Amino acid sequence: MGKRQTRTRGKTKGAVWPGQPAASQRTAATRARQLAPAASTTGPKEKDGTAALLTEIQQVAAEAQVGLAAGDEPDSAASGLEQAWQLYRTLAKRQAEAADALAVQGERLRADREELDAAVARQFEEAAALQEQRATLEVRTELLDRRVRALSDREQAAEAQFAELRLEAGRELETWLADQRRTAVDALDTERQAWQTRWSEAQRRLADAQAALDQRESELAQRERDLRSAQLQLEDEREDVAQLKAALKEQQASRAERFEREVTSRTDQLLQQMEEDRHRLAAVTEGNERLSARLGAYDSALASLGGMTLEQVVERMAELRAEKAHLLEENATAPRADARMLEQLRQQVMQLAADNEELVRERGELESALQRDRIAVNERQNYLEANNWLRAANSQLQQLLNEEAAKLKATAQVGKEGHAFPACSHMDREFGTPWPSDAHTPELPELVRQMQAVIRQKASLSYGLSDLRLVLAGMAMSRLHLFQGISGIGKTGLARALATAFGSDNSVAVVPVQAGWRDPQDLMGYYNSFDRIFYESEFTKALYRAQCPVFKNRPFFIVLDEMNLSHPEQYFSGVLSALSIKDRPRLALTTAPVRNPPDLLIDGTHIAVPDNVWFIGTANHDETTVGFADKTYDRAFVLELPWQHPDLAEMATALPEPLAHRGLSQAFTEAQATYGTEAASIIDFLDTHWRSRFAEEMRIGWGNRLELQIKEFAPVIVAAEGSPGEALDHLLATRILRSIRGRYDIHADSLDTLRTDLVESLMLFDSAHEPVATQRLLDDEIRSRGRR
């Protein structure tokens, strides 16, 4: 029987039974059936590919054992491991796809952010619409200003006509003209009050629109802060995801590399052991074949032993049986050794699987611990940030509580005193004593020289007599002055020095203009209905101080330092309108009377703009400032201060006595009456020679306001030892030709021709004065167009 088994074993090596699949086919079919469930269970929901890979390794090991038991080739086991490695790479690819899905989610978040940006843009468009509405209100306000100016012009024309009629008709018509004038003034007052009411209503609507716009801007700012916070949070989350992905990739790469090394090493060991077993099996098979050959030889020899004795044959057969039994024992021992070796391999594979499961469990624990640590770190960071925020909020709240306590204390103190305008009420008591008004007023030429000496001595500033003559004549022309020039040439110092030159150091107040001023309340102050106090600004206090009895008859200067840091036409609009009103101009402070108002407040709601006040605005022109509108220039006296001062010697002079405003105004009136013909000659010169040419070639025109200003300005220049050409040169440069600045629709050749003709004409008008200001302006414009 052992012999028959040996032969069968030897014949079945590599043989295939009828109807039985080949070993490689059985292996492939078994592997396909075993891989199919694993592949079907591996999907996007699989979080860890290690367990699936472990299952595949176990299946490959089991398949290798079956193949060895069936006598298959060991290459099929290696191909199974290769398929398992391909499956692992598939799982890694799916993890990469999951990372791409996170990236897509980030794109969606960015799209949401773009939608929020679009919403912010829509909010900005709505703010622009509100700004347009505000511009419409400003246009309506400008129309109201024009109506008021027309009424003022009509009043002045009526006054001039009445004066001419009084000169022609004599004393017998004086009473009748006075009655007519009162009737006209009453009608104008009625119409002016109506326009003033409408203007106040328009101002209130504009304030409401501005408040709504500020509220909308605040909401937009809050939305922007929320968007920035969300963006920062999104960036933090994106950074956490990136760190997590990097850590996961690094961990996967490390695990894959280590597992690949272990699988490769173990596979090499298994292949080596299988090769050794195959060599042993081949040796056993070769021994069986040799034994079979020897048995055949023995049978042949036994058949051929016809001459041997029976005892010899029996003895020989016994020897052969003994040898056969020994060989059969060896043959039976070899399969049991192979089985033990396979069992050892199976135990090793199971041990590796257990180790791998332990590693997977440790990995899960480490990931859980890492997640817990990350959450703890985030919570601690959040706690720290919340703690810092609470500390800052507590500090701010404490500061607010202190400020509110101080305000309540001040409110209680003011409530005890009962004054809604505490500073102005204090001025009633401090400056209530009238100042003597019998001071001597020097002649205008002497006054100009006095101004030069005092400014040089007290302010260390040197100005020529022509510049100071222009300032003095500008005071007769307008109550709004604009001092322009480069920074640091003494614009504010000159404004301060004027008060000293007129004999009163404290008849000046400097109001620094802020870049954020948009409303008259920024200039005037505001009324707090809760505290029942009007928070007076420096401008309001200076305006009230100027009309107190101590300063009422002195020239008073209010300096708006850096006036064009914000648009004067916005925050200074009320003053501009008031300056156009000749009869008792005033500014509204409150809409209803307040309790215990100051003595000089009109009806408890308005403050007067006294005629002894001049407003001086200093202006630089750079990237931080804005330009003045035409209506501001038309109402103002403009002086371009020289960047290089004349070299004047020290002038020792005694400080002058305080100059009376009444005496200064009388000196202006006398000069205008004495030298009125000089102003008429300037107006006639402009109308005859240049009005039509300026209109046709330069599209420049002027109205009645300029003619009235010439009548007030030019006589004072001549009375102060100047010339009509000096007055005309200044007015041409600052009022008429100023509008060609920056107009590149005017060719350089046209400007060159205009310069030649205009200078020649001015020299013919007044040969004693060279038109330096006009030449400088035209030369600058010609150079700006590329001409030398």
Side-chain angles (χ1 to χ4, degrees):
M1 182 174 181
K3 184 178 180 179
R4 194 163 49 248
Q5 289 177 351
T6 302
R7 291 178 179 177
T8 303
R9 180 70 177 269
K11 292 179 180 180
T12 57
K13 179 182 179 181
V16 180
W17 293 96
Q20 179 184 7
S24 60
Q25 296 175 355
R26 293 195 309 272
T27 302
T30 303
R31 186 179 299 110
R33 287 192 302 270
Q34 292 174 349
L35 291 178
S40 62
T41 57
T42 303
K45 296 182 179 181
E46 188 70 22
K47 300 297 184 181
D48 191 1
T50 307
L53 182 60
L54 177 61
T55 304
E56 296 303 324
I57 294 297
Q58 291 177 349
Q59 291 176 357
V60 170
E63 182 181 348
Q65 183 178 0
V66 172
L68 289 175
D72 294 338
E73 293 294 333
D75 295 338
S76 60
S79 63
L81 290 174
E82 184 177 357
Q83 290 183 1
W85 176 245
Q86 293 295 332
L87 180 60
Y88 176 77
R89 291 191 174 184
T90 302
L91 293 176
K93 182 178 179 181
R94 289 177 180 172
Q95 289 182 349
E97 292 175 355
D100 294 337
L102 290 175
V104 171
Q105 186 177 3
E107 291 294 335
R108 291 177 180 174
L109 291 174
R110 282 193 289 273
D112 294 339
R113 179 186 172 187
E114 291 177 356
E115 292 179 359
L116 291 175
D117 292 340
V120 172
R122 289 194 296 271
Q123 296 293 334
F124 280 128
E125 291 177 357
E126 294 177 0
L130 291 176
Q131 190 68 23
E132 292 178 358
Q133 294 179 1
R134 179 179 177 182
T136 303
L137 290 176
E138 290 180 354
V139 171
R140 295 179 62 186
T141 304
E142 178 64 20
L143 292 176
L144 292 175
D145 291 341
R146 291 178 181 175
R147 292 288 184 86
V148 172
R149 291 195 297 271
L151 291 175
S152 178
D153 294 339
R154 288 171 57 188
E155 182 181 358
Q156 292 177 0
E159 290 177 358
Q161 183 178 4
F162 292 155
E164 293 175 357
L165 291 175
R166 281 196 300 270
L167 292 176
E168 295 174 357
R171 294 182 179 275
E172 64 275 8
L173 297 178
E174 184 177 357
T175 305
W176 182 81
L177 289 175
D179 295 336
Q180 292 294 322
R181 185 178 185 278
R182 282 195 297 272
T183 303
V185 168
D186 293 338
L188 289 174
D189 286 340
T190 303
E191 188 173 359
R192 186 183 298 110
Q193 290 176 359
W195 282 114
Q196 185 69 23
T197 303
R198 295 180 185 176
W199 180 81
S200 300
E201 181 65 22
Q203 285 292 101
R204 185 186 61 78
R205 293 178 181 175
L206 181 61
D208 294 340
Q210 181 66 30
L213 181 60
D214 292 340
Q215 180 68 23
R216 199 60 176 270
E217 288 178 355
S218 176
E219 294 176 358
L220 290 176
Q222 183 64 33
R223 291 286 302 276
E224 184 178 1
R225 289 193 293 270
D226 295 341
L227 288 175
R228 289 179 180 175
S229 177
Q231 182 179 2
L232 292 176
Q233 185 177 2
L234 179 61
E235 291 177 355
D236 293 340
E237 293 178 355
R238 187 178 300 144
E239 184 178 357
D240 293 340
V241 169
Q243 293 177 356
L244 182 60
K245 286 171 62 178
L248 182 59
K249 287 182 180 179
E250 183 179 357
Q251 189 176 9
Q252 287 179 352
S254 176
R255 292 285 186 180
E257 183 179 359
R258 187 177 65 183
F259 194 75
E260 184 177 3
R261 289 198 302 268
E262 292 179 357
V263 169
T264 302
S265 176
R266 193 59 186 166
T267 302
D268 293 339
Q269 293 177 3
L270 290 175
L271 290 175
Q272 185 177 1
Q273 291 179 359
M274 290 175 65
E275 188 66 24
E276 291 176 357
D277 292 340
R278 192 172 71 176
H279 286 308
R280 290 183 183 178
L281 185 59
V284 172
T285 303
E286 185 178 358
N288 287 334
E289 289 178 352
R290 288 197 304 270
L291 183 58
S292 297
R294 290 179 64 184
L295 288 175
Y298 288 155
D299 290 339
S300 298
L302 185 59
S304 62
L305 290 177
M308 292 180 63
T309 61
L310 183 58
E311 290 81 2
Q312 293 175 345
V313 172
V314 170
E315 183 178 357
R316 185 59 180 169
M317 289 179 64
E319 293 176 357
L320 293 175
R321 287 191 183 96
E323 186 177 357
K324 180 180 178 181
H326 179 69
L327 292 175
L328 289 174
E329 183 178 359
E330 290 181 357
N331 193 13
T333 303
R336 286 196 297 272
D338 293 339
R340 285 195 301 271
M341 184 174 296
L342 289 175
E343 182 64 23
Q344 291 177 0
L345 292 175
R346 189 176 67 81
Q347 292 295 332
Q348 291 178 359
V349 169
M350 292 178 64
Q351 183 64 32
L352 288 175
D355 293 343
N356 197 10
E357 290 179 355
E358 182 66 20
L359 291 174
V360 171
R361 185 184 62 79
E362 291 179 358
R363 175 187 173 185
E365 292 178 354
L366 289 175
E367 290 180 349
S368 300
L370 178 62
Q371 187 67 22
R372 289 194 300 271
D373 293 342
R374 185 178 289 111
I375 293 174
V377 169
N378 292 335
E379 290 180 351
R380 184 174 180 274
Q381 186 67 25
N382 293 334
Y383 290 152
L384 290 176
E385 292 179 357
N387 189 19
N388 294 333
W389 182 85
L390 289 174
R391 287 180 179 176
N394 187 19
S395 177
Q396 293 179 358
L397 289 175
Q398 186 64 37
Q399 183 178 358
L400 291 175
L401 286 175
N402 294 335
E403 292 177 357
E404 292 299 327
K407 288 182 180 179
L408 290 175
K409 185 177 180 180
T411 303
Q413 184 67 24
V414 171
K416 292 179 181 178
E417 296 178 357
H419 296 295
F421 289 79
C424 294
S425 298
H426 179 71
M427 292 181 195
D428 290 337
R429 300 187 296 272
E430 183 179 3
F431 305 123
T433 303
W435 175 72
S437 59
D438 56 351
H440 169 69
T441 303
E443 297 294 331
L444 294 183
E446 182 184 352
L447 179 59
V448 172
R449 287 189 290 271
Q450 174 182 302
M451 292 169 58
Q452 184 185 46
V454 173
I455 292 174
R456 180 69 180 90
Q457 179 182 0
K458 293 300 181 181
S460 299
L461 296 174
S462 299
Y463 290 100
L465 293 177
S466 60
D467 292 330
L468 298 177
R469 196 160 40 235
L470 291 174
V471 172
L472 189 62
M475 294 177 62
M477 182 184 79
S478 174
R479 293 165 63 190
L480 174 61
H481 288 200
L482 299 179
F483 289 172
Q484 301 183 151
I486 62 176
S487 179
I489 61 174
K491 298 185 293 293
T492 306
L494 175 60
R496 289 177 177 271
L498 287 177
T500 304
F502 289 159
S504 179
D505 291 335
N506 53 1
S507 295
V508 61
V510 179
V511 179
V513 176
Q514 304 298 322
W517 284 7
R518 295 292 184 272
D519 191 86
Q521 286 187 351
D522 297 327
L523 177 70
M524 304 295 299
Y526 63 94
Y527 180 74
N528 190 324
S529 58
F530 177 76
D531 297 336
R532 297 183 181 180
I533 295 177
F534 189 92
Y535 290 95
E536 303 124 309
S537 66
E538 292 297 326
F539 181 84
T540 301
K541 289 187 285 187
L543 197 60
Y544 191 87
R545 180 155 57 99
Q547 53 191 299
C548 289
V550 174
F551 301 98
K552 185 176 182 179
N553 197 28
R554 301 183 191 179
F556 198 97
F557 301 94
I558 297 179
V559 182
L560 298 171
D561 196 20
E562 301 289 346
M563 185 179 186
N564 59 339
L565 279 179
S566 186
H567 288 282
E569 295 75 26
Q570 295 178 356
Y571 70 86
F572 204 62
S573 59
V575 181
L576 290 176
S577 300
L579 292 179
S580 300
I581 301 173
K582 297 296 184 181
D583 186 18
R584 300 187 301 276
R586 58 185 183 176
L587 300 173
L589 297 178
T590 61
T591 57
V594 296
R595 56 185 176 84
N596 296 329
D599 297 339
L600 301 179
L601 214 62
I602 302 174
D603 299 331
T605 58
H606 291 71
I607 184 171
V609 181
D611 55 1
N612 66 320
V613 174
W614 280 268
F615 303 96
I616 301 178
T618 65
N620 295 325
H621 293 288
D622 52 32
E623 66 278 1
T624 65
T625 60
V626 297
F628 290 105
D630 289 340
K631 66 178 182 179
T632 304
Y633 275 121
D634 292 343
R635 289 170 169 84
F637 163 75
V638 181
L639 180 64
E640 292 284 346
L641 295 181
W643 63 272
Q644 187 174 7
H645 296 279
D647 189 11
L648 299 178
E650 291 290 341
M651 301 179 184
T653 180
L655 289 179
E657 295 182 359
L659 185 66
H661 170 256
R662 187 178 298 108
L664 183 63
S665 299
Q666 185 176 357
F668 291 158
T669 303
E670 292 176 355
Q672 291 162 4
T674 304
Y675 299 100
T677 55
E678 305 293 344
S681 65
I682 294 176
I683 296 174
D684 182 68
F685 171 79
L686 292 175
D687 290 340
T688 303
H689 297 88
W690 292 100
R691 180 185 285 272
S692 59
R693 182 171 177 179
F694 281 152
E696 293 173 0
E697 297 182 4
M698 308 295 170
R699 298 196 302 276
I700 299 175
W702 58 84
N704 296 330
R705 177 184 285 121
L706 179 60
E707 294 182 358
L708 293 175
Q709 291 174 347
I710 292 174
K711 293 178 181 178
E712 296 171 340
F713 179 76
V716 178
I717 291 288
V718 177
E721 297 182 346
S723 65
E726 181 181 347
L728 178 58
D729 182 27
H730 180 80
L731 292 175
L732 274 173
T734 60
R735 288 297 312 276
I736 299 176
L737 296 178
R738 176 192 54 81
S739 59
I740 70 173
R741 289 186 182 272
R743 281 183 54 188
Y744 291 95
D745 58 328
I746 304 176
H747 197 268
D749 293 338
S750 300
L751 290 177
D752 198 3
T753 303
L754 175 66
R755 179 188 182 281
T756 302
D757 297 343
L758 185 56
V759 171
E760 183 178 341
S761 178
L762 290 175
M763 292 299 294
L764 291 176
F765 174 75
D766 186 359
S767 59
H769 177 77
E770 182 180 358
V772 178
T774 302
Q775 292 183 66
R776 186 190 307 117
L777 184 143
L778 292 175
D779 288 342
D780 292 342
E781 289 303 309
I782 292 172
R783 280 194 297 269
S784 68
R785 289 157 175 79
R787 294 282 296 274
R788 296 292 182 182

